[in-house]
Amino acid sequence: MSEANPETLVIEFRAAEQLLNARDPRGALKLLDTVVAAHPENTAARLLRARAFFLGAQLRPAEMEFQTVLEREPDNAFAHFALGRTLQRANRADEARRHFRLAAALDPRPDFVEAAAFDPPRSA
């Protein structure tokens, strides 16, 4: 493992993004562990690491990372949505629905609104 300095950490973060895009969550996690260890306050690295955990079907670590992101950024619609997906995948539908609805309220993107499954408007 290389010595962690700001330049190598940025390179490792960008490489982890590429690995995640290539659907290699284990490779991404190896790089992100170094980045998060050096900068535990870095929300972007934690969010990327949460996504890697989710893609690797490591639901509990994904949930914990998404929760950490939301503690720091409670208005992060994507983190709410992704946590909802994580909880849904873990068969925790009621908890997931809450985060889907928060995501949709914060950002009414069609995929967030669809996941929120709001009741249809009632006819008069």
Side-chain angles (χ1 to χ4, degrees), residues 21-110:
N21 288 337
R23 307 207 51 88
D24 180 2
R26 287 186 186 139
L29 284 168
K30 287 179 187 175
L31 296 174
L32 289 166
D33 287 345
T34 303
V35 176
V36 170
H39 295 283
E41 76 288 351
N42 187 312
T43 304
R46 287 193 173 273
L47 188 57
L48 191 61
R49 189 161 89 164
R51 290 177 50 215
F53 281 132
F54 179 82
L55 189 61
Q58 297 182 50
L59 301 182
R60 185 65 182 137
E63 177 185 352
M64 291 172 33
E65 284 293 349
F66 286 128
Q67 289 285 8
T68 298
V69 169
L70 288 169
E71 286 170 11
R72 296 172 184 179
E73 296 180 4
D75 61 344
N76 187 319
F78 177 79
H80 279 291
F81 178 75
L83 178 55
R85 286 283 183 235
T86 303
L87 295 167
Q88 183 181 51
R89 200 168 169 189
N91 295 316
R92 294 161 59 193
D94 289 340
E95 292 173 78
R97 187 175 305 108
R98 176 180 176 271
H99 288 284
F100 287 146
R101 290 182 175 188
L102 284 166
L106 291 165
D107 183 356
R109 289 176 26 176

Side-chain angles (χ1 to χ4, degrees), residues 105-116:
L106 291 165
D107 183 356
R109 289 176 26 176
D111 52 339
F112 292 1
V113 172
E114 181 181 343

